[in-house]
């Protein structure tokens, strides 16, 4: 009963707390909370943000303190230099115990670069298609070295189609994703999600997604054209939240 | 997974390097002000490094007051001090140093652009430097730089060593105006006597340039990263005989590998950045200089 009440409170809180617009992931690139989409941010969009990552969202290895997973956060810079390309640079905070008796912490960061390319823009009868890769540089240079960790490395292809009715927007995404290293294999395979953007407040987006291993509910919003907020619940109980500042370097203004 | 490193200016290749620099005002429809006058400016030079497991970042913050005296006909005297304010990098970086103190002259001969500089540069160097730029078309240009320099320290005690190092780079630039995108490639011999090359792809936006680069040094190997140059407001300025101003650009340089001494080259201008290049906007109309100017400068007399 207590868990049920907690979940209800969390869902109501999410509903009242408007979050991401066009997109915002913990990787800085466009997408839902945990899966990529075929959509792109606007050309010239620059994002600087941070995301609280629940330990349930973390890889099963590499992020352990005294043998247990922990909550952490990441921060990123992201840019859309062209309408068909996104790039982001992400640092995820890591800690481990130097001395297991005292628990003295050693801080470090896991860093990766993500690139996403959209070869096909959405048309009237066909979806937008994007391909992408997380941890690109390490993958290129060190993929044959098992001693080099690639906690977030994955490649994907995603397709998204949006439908508009009465000013509301419904988006459907299907993607295939594959992580190179085995410790994230639970998120491999077909993933997908649905988004809804109401006509009365199109900056607000609701989303539900399947990550390949669990379900996520999320919501996001773009406030004052520059502040993006995002929150999601994994398996209806593990919360993740993020925020970022967004600017369009070409000086253009978008509703979301 | 790769490593972020940052180091102060002295160590040539910066790993996570933020710099606030300050530009002068420009005449109307020009991006830089080369009409006679003196500008006093100040900024900060912010370096951070992820080299320590016991804290998030090591930080080095310099205050960088300076001046630029435009004497007309593209003669310029410039100076800048580097005063450490916050330093967790170590005692090596606690001293005040000269960022620049030199005199320069720019000139144009048909499609050939020249800039000669004599004096003190950053990277603890002094000597003579010559830069050239040749425009072949609106899209294609060649560039070269050569310098003969020695080492100079002022603090904690003055040390001046005779010039003993000939450095040079030569390369080309391609500019695609439709996408405001520029490609730059150079080869050269650098400050620490290493041969190498560097290739960079730049995307120019309104007041901002973002670039990706890769480079190779015969001594230090392969490296890469990104750079961001943001021209800072106010974008409308008034020009007087004496001007006091704040930052005009914010420059960040990030390298993947921690190779501080690879492909190092000094800067002769304390406000030098990849967006503006080496030459004044009113002299060289090429590349990002063909875009809308970052700064609109009105003369006080014109306004009256």
């Amino acid at each position: 009963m207590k868990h049920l009440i907690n979940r209800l409170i969390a869902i109501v809180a999410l509903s009242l707390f408007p979050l991401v617009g066009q997109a915002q992931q913990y990787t800085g690139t466009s997408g839902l909370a945990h899966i990529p989409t075929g959509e792109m941010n606007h050309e010239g969009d620059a994002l600087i943000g941070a995301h609280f990552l629940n330990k349930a969202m973390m890889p099963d290895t590499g992020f352990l303190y005294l043998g247990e997973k922990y909550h952490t956060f990441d921060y990123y810079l992201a840019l859309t230099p062209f309408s068909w390309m996104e790039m982001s640079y992400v640092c995820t905070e890591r800690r481990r115990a130097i001395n297991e008796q005292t628990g003295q912490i050693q801080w470090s960061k896991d860093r990766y670069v993500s690139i996403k390319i959209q070869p096909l823009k959405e048309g009237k009868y066909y979806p937008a298609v994007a391909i992408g890769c997380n941890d690109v540089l390490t993958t290129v240079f060190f993929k044959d070295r098992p001693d080099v960790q690639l906690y977030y490395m994955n490649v994907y292809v995603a397709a998204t189609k949006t439908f508009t009715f009465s000013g509301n927007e419904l988006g459907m995404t299907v993607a295939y994703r594959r992580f190179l290293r085995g410790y994230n294999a639970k998120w491999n395979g077909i993933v997908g999600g649905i988004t809804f953007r109401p006509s009365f407040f199109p900056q607000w987006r609701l989303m539900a997604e399947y990550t390949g291993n669990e379900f996520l509910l999320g919501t996001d919003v773009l406030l004052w054209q520059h502040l993006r907020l995002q929150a999601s619940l994994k398996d209806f109980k593990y919360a993740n939240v993020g925020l970022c500042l967004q600017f369009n370097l070409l000086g253009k203004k978008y509703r979301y | 997974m790769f490593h972020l490193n940052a180091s102060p200016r002295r160590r040539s290749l910066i790993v996570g390097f933020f710099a606030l620099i300050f530009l002068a005002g420009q005449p109307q429809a020009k991006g830089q002000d080369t009409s006679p006058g003196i500008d006093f400016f100040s900024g900060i030079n912010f370096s951070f490094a992820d080299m320590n497991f016991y804290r998030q970042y090591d930080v080095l913050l310099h205050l960088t007051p300076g001046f630029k005296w435009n004497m007309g006909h593209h003669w310029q005297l410039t100076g800048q001090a580097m005063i450490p304010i916050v330093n967790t990098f170590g005692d090596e970086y606690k001293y005040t140093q000269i960022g620049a103190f030199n005199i320069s002259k720019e000139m144009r001969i048909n499609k050939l652009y020249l800039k000669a500089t004599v004096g003190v540069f950053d990277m603890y160097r002094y000597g003579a430097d010559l830069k050239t730029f040749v425009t072949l078309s609106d899209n294609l240009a060649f560039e070269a730089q050569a310098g003969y320099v020695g080492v100079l320290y002022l603090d904690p005690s003055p040390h001046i060593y005779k010039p003993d190092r000939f450095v040079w780079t030569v390369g080309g630039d391609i500019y695609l105006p439709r996408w405001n995108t520029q490609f730059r490639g150079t080869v050269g011999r650098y400050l620490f006597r290493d041969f190498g090359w560097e290739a960079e792809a730049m995307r120019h936006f309104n007041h901002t340039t973002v670039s990706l680069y890769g480079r190779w040094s015969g001594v230090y190997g392969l490296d890469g990263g990104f750079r961001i140059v943001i021209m800072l407001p106010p974008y409308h300025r008034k020009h007087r005989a004496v001007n006091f101003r704040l930052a005009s650009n914010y420059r960040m340089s990030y390298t993947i590998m921690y190779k501080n001494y690879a492909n190092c080259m000094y800067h002769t201008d304390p406000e030098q950045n990849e967006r503006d290049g080496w030459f004044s906007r009113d002299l060289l109309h090429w590349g990002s200089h063909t875009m809308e100017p970052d700064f609109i400068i009105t003369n006080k007399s014109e306004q009256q």
Side-chain angles (χ1 to χ4, degrees), chain A residues 169-245:
Chain A
E169 187 182 284
L170 179 69
M172 304 181 75
T173 295
V174 176
Y176 177 78
R177 176 169 62 181
R178 180 168 179 78
F179 283 81
L180 195 69
R181 295 288 198 254
Y183 26 75
N184 287 320
K186 62 185 180 183
W187 290 319
N188 283 347
I190 302 291
V191 299
I194 298 173
T195 60
F196 177 73
R197 203 183 291 279
S199 60
F200 62 88
F201 189 28
Q203 294 90 339
W204 181 28
R205 185 177 66 160
L206 293 164
M207 51 199 175
E209 60 186 276
Y210 174 65
T211 66
N213 187 57
E214 63 271 315
F215 288 94
L216 263 88
L217 285 179
T219 179
D220 54 28
V221 74
L222 178 64
L223 297 174
W224 306 294
Q225 295 190 328
H226 292 300
L227 178 63
R228 281 191 182 278
L229 303 170
Q230 184 180 67
S232 62
L233 277 181
K234 178 188 170 185
D235 283 339
F236 307 104
K237 55 184 175 183
Y238 302 114
N240 303 278
V241 295
L243 80 167
C244 78
L245 290 174

Side-chain angles (χ1 to χ4, degrees), chain A residues 52-72:
Chain A
F52 166 77
L53 297 167
N54 195 295
K55 60 184 178 184
M57 285 277 283
M58 302 305 293
D60 292 334
T61 187
F63 292 84
L64 301 175
Y65 176 70
L66 297 177
E68 292 189 3
K69 292 171 75 173
Y70 52 86
H71 303 311
T72 186

Side-chain angles (χ1 to χ4, degrees), chain B residues 93-136:
Chain B
Y93 303 103
K94 69 181 182 183
Y95 305 112
T96 298
Q97 296 294 343
I98 296 177
F101 188 70
N102 58 60
I103 189 166
S104 64
K105 164 69 177 170
E106 293 178 56
M107 67 179 74
R108 174 186 177 181
I109 306 168
N110 199 8
K111 291 183 177 180
L112 171 68
Y113 300 82
L114 296 167
K115 182 175 184 178
T117 311
V118 176
V120 182
F121 313 138
D122 71 348
M123 306 292 299
Y124 301 85
R125 294 297 190 280
Y126 76 101
D129 177 80
L130 180 67
K131 298 182 179 73
T132 63
F133 199 84
V134 183
T135 58
L136 299 182

Side-chain angles (χ1 to χ4, degrees), chain A:
Chain A
M1 186 65 183
K2 187 180 175 184
H3 288 297
L4 181 63
I5 291 171
N6 285 340
R7 288 177 195 178
L8 284 174
I9 290 171
I11 291 169
V12 170
L14 277 176
S15 305
L16 296 174
F17 185 43
L19 298 175
V20 175
Q22 170 80 5
Q24 183 206 345
Q25 281 186 288
Y26 62 97
T27 61
T29 54
S30 55
L32 304 184
H34 194 271
I35 68 168
T37 62
E39 297 172 318
M40 303 289 279
N41 288 328
H42 303 290
E43 181 178 13
D45 277 356
L47 286 72
I48 178 168
H51 211 100
F52 166 77
L53 297 167
N54 195 295
K55 60 184 178 184
M57 285 277 283
M58 302 305 293
D60 292 334
T61 187
F63 292 84
L64 301 175
Y65 176 70
L66 297 177
E68 292 189 3
K69 292 171 75 173
Y70 52 86
H71 303 311
T72 186
F73 66 95
D74 69 6
Y75 47 96
Y76 55 83
L77 282 171
L79 178 71
T80 309
F82 306 101
S83 61
W84 47 271
M85 175 190 275
E86 288 179 16
M87 300 182 300
S88 71
Y89 167 72
V90 189
C91 293
T92 307
E93 194 64 36
R94 296 178 66 193
R95 65 173 187 262
R96 69 176 187 178
I98 302 171
N99 185 326
E100 297 207 351
Q101 267 79 45
T102 63
Q104 188 182 4
I105 295 174
Q106 183 185 66
W107 298 98
S108 65
K109 295 152 199 78
D110 180 71
R111 302 180 178 85
Y112 61 92
V113 170
S114 297
I115 288 183
K116 182 179 180 182
I117 291 173
Q118 186 188 51
L120 183 67
K121 292 184 188 303
E122 184 177 352
K124 189 175 179 181
Y125 300 109
Y126 52 85
V129 176
I131 56 175
C133 180
N134 279 354
D135 216 344
V136 179
L137 299 175
T138 320
T139 304
V140 171
F141 292 110
F142 301 112
K143 66 178 179 182
D144 297 326
R145 282 184 50 186
D147 59 309
V148 176
Q149 303 302 320
L150 302 169
Y151 298 116
Y152 287 97
M153 188 282 147
N154 68 82
V155 293
Y156 59 83
V157 55
T160 298
K161 185 80 182 82
T162 54
F163 304 93
T164 305
F165 56 97
S166 304
N168 303 297
E169 187 182 284
L170 179 69
M172 304 181 75
T173 295
V174 176
Y176 177 78
R177 176 169 62 181
R178 180 168 179 78
F179 283 81
L180 195 69
R181 295 288 198 254
Y183 26 75
N184 287 320
K186 62 185 180 183
W187 290 319
N188 283 347
I190 302 291
V191 299
I194 298 173
T195 60
F196 177 73
R197 203 183 291 279
S199 60
F200 62 88
F201 189 28
Q203 294 90 339
W204 181 28
R205 185 177 66 160
L206 293 164
M207 51 199 175
E209 60 186 276
Y210 174 65
T211 66
N213 187 57
E214 63 271 315
F215 288 94
L216 263 88
L217 285 179
T219 179
D220 54 28
V221 74
L222 178 64
L223 297 174
W224 306 294
Q225 295 190 328
H226 292 300
L227 178 63
R228 281 191 182 278
L229 303 170
Q230 184 180 67
S232 62
L233 277 181
K234 178 188 170 185
D235 283 339
F236 307 104
K237 55 184 175 183
Y238 302 114
N240 303 278
V241 295
L243 80 167
C244 78
L245 290 174
Q246 173 181 324
F247 302 93
N248 188 277
L249 301 180
L250 293 171
K252 295 179 180 175
K253 293 182 178 178
Y254 297 98
R255 291 180 70 190
Y256 57 88

